[in-house]
Amino acid sequence: QARVVYVGENHTTWADHLLQLRIIEALYNKNPRLSIGMEMFPAAAQPVLDRYTVGREPMDERSFLKASDYYNVWRYDYRFYRDVVNFAKNKGIPVIGLNLDRQVVSEVFKTGGTDSLATEVRASLPRDRDLDLPGYTEDLSRMHSVHIQGNHGSGAPSGFIQAQALWDETMAQNIAAYLTEHPDYQMVVLAGTQHTRKDFGVPPRVSRRLAIPQASVVNLYNDSKPSDLEQIADYYFLSVAADLPEIPKMGIVLITETGDDRSFLKIDQFSPHGKAAASGLKEGDIVKEIDGLPVAEMADLHLAMLDRKPGDTVTVKISRQDDGGEREQEFQVKLTLPSAGPPHP
């Protein structure tokens, strides 16, 4: 029986996350001594993960997401992972943050190395970073082009490769450390499909540290069938396509600004598909609260809009500067879904 089961994902594909939950449920029914390793959380978030999933002190979901800095670290819709985390919380399953701090990854990506990092940070990083696994650097070079085209960074390919190697090695180091300290536990690892590849992803890096049986799982969908399936995974599933309901919008574009040593969100422009402009909001308004929840950064906005449904009305408190000075006002905004664009030819 594999002590580590990797379940790869395309981060925005709902079917992948449903499969992850089903596999976790099935493995837990066979072996309650289960842990869940998640790429989505850095190791620095472990105290918050422990408190929320296995701690005795109650902690609500919004406080957990805020304290773990989820929306600044990972940024993908938390609803993709909510059922997994809630299952862990209900069963007392440890959830282990596997990743590096995002700032470290970004710095290595930009500079191409670790020299600019603080001494204590460099000392905490994995010393051995294997770039020689067949196909690894070639695949990362291809991915780098995709990241640059998608405006996800501006570093050179060498920096991207170094950053991703640190990412993979750190996850492997944290997996091996946890299983060494808990020899009677099994772990399910949730990470992107490139990280869960059994040929050059995290699995061979764990093997370098700890001789344990491992298995990789990948989901096939939309008639996709990679030519190198045997190198990617040990088990394959073919899931029915599934979509996560879209979160409705107010129809505003916000920018983050700072002043007096604090950040705030200012309305920069409006979307013609939303109701915000018609509700009385104006460009330049500073958003203070949404339904009584303080809003100072984009992460706060995500928390305030979580679980909203089309047709809901939210109360938006803003600060507005006019001839009479600065004053606060409240407006009621009905939430809508953006209009669907024309189909691709």
Side-chain angles (χ1 to χ4, degrees):
Q1 183 181 12
R3 283 200 62 202
V4 188
V5 178
Y6 302 87
V7 190
E9 65 172 65
N10 177 334
H11 302 308
T12 59
T13 302
W14 180 224
D16 289 4
H17 302 291
L18 293 175
L19 176 62
Q20 290 172 336
L21 176 63
R22 299 295 176 260
I23 289 176
I24 288 170
E25 290 172 336
L27 289 175
Y28 177 80
N29 288 335
K30 292 187 65 176
N31 176 22
R33 291 188 175 277
L34 186 69
S35 58
I36 303 172
M38 297 186 69
E39 177 193 12
M40 304 81 209
F41 295 97
Q46 197 58 53
V48 180
L49 286 167
D50 289 343
R51 180 182 170 191
Y52 187 64
T53 57
V54 297
R56 295 182 178 179
E57 292 184 38
M59 187 180 200
D60 64 82
E61 183 179 68
R62 185 173 278 112
S63 298
F64 160 64
L65 293 173
K66 182 75 172 176
S68 66
D69 206 24
Y70 174 83
Y71 284 110
N72 286 322
V73 171
W74 194 241
R75 301 176 184 172
Y76 291 104
D77 193 331
Y78 176 68
R79 296 177 300 161
F80 285 127
Y81 308 101
R82 172 187 268 167
D83 290 343
V84 167
V85 175
N86 283 349
F87 183 77
K89 181 178 175 66
N90 292 335
K91 301 296 185 181
I93 300 172
V95 176
I96 311 303
L98 298 179
N99 217 332
L100 272 170
D101 287 340
R102 176 175 285 274
Q103 294 90 337
V104 174
V105 177
S106 298
E107 183 68 15
V108 173
F109 184 15
K110 286 190 299 183
T111 64
T114 60
D115 291 347
S116 63
L117 299 174
T119 302
E120 62 271 17
V121 173
R122 289 202 307 271
S124 69
L125 299 176
R127 294 185 178 182
D128 296 325
R129 299 192 285 277
D130 190 350
L131 301 179
D132 296 327
L133 291 167
Y136 186 61
T137 56
E138 293 84 355
D139 190 75
L140 288 179
S141 296
R142 177 185 60 79
M143 288 178 61
H144 173 264
S145 300
V146 175
H147 276 251
I148 294 298
Q149 292 170 7
N151 296 319
H152 296 304
S154 57
S158 59
F160 182 75
I161 291 170
Q162 288 291 335
Q164 291 298 310
L166 271 176
W167 195 310
D168 286 330
E169 295 288 358
T170 298
M171 288 198 287
Q173 180 171 276
N174 290 330
I175 292 167
Y178 182 86
L179 294 178
T180 299
E181 293 175 8
H182 303 81
D184 55 342
Y185 265 75
Q186 185 180 25
M187 180 180 284
V188 178
V189 173
L190 310 184
T193 51
Q194 294 303 109
H195 298 296
T196 63
R197 290 182 64 125
K198 67 176 187 176
D199 52 354
F200 58 59
V202 176
R205 302 170 199 279
V206 170
S207 294
R208 205 174 70 235
R209 295 169 166 85
L210 192 63
I212 55 174
Q214 304 178 80
S216 292
V217 179
V218 69
N219 181 33
L220 305 178
Y221 49 88
N222 296 335
D223 298 324
S224 66
K225 186 178 180 181
S227 59
D228 53 352
L229 273 178
E230 291 186 358
Q231 284 73 47
I232 293 175
D234 301 291
Y235 300 95
Y236 319 108
F237 287 80
L238 183 61
S239 296
V240 175
D243 294 317
L244 192 65
E246 188 174 355
I247 294 177
K249 312 293 184 186
M250 289 185 283
I252 56 177
V253 178
L254 296 166
I255 57 175
T256 303
E257 294 193 352
T258 57
D260 298 327
D261 295 324
R262 62 184 180 86
S263 64
F264 54 88
L265 298 177
K266 185 171 75 172
I267 297 178
D268 185 54
Q269 54 185 296
F270 293 97
S271 164
H273 304 298
K275 304 289 186 182
S279 300
L281 293 171
K282 294 182 179 180
E283 292 181 4
D285 286 345
I286 295 173
V287 179
K288 307 284 287 187
E289 295 180 1
I290 296 176
D291 278 349
L293 298 173
V295 174
E297 58 179 354
M298 293 304 297
D300 297 328
L301 181 68
H302 288 299
L303 290 171
M305 297 299 290
L306 189 65
D307 291 329
R308 303 294 183 177
K309 297 179 175 56
D312 286 353
T313 297
V314 295
T315 300
V316 183
K317 178 186 282 189
I318 58 93
S319 175
R320 178 177 296 172
Q321 188 78 35
D322 56 24
D323 293 339
E326 184 176 340
R327 57 195 177 97
E328 293 186 346
Q329 294 179 258
E330 291 187 351
F331 296 90
Q332 306 295 312
V333 181
K334 186 176 181 179
L335 304 179
T336 60
L337 292 175
S339 302
H344 289 288

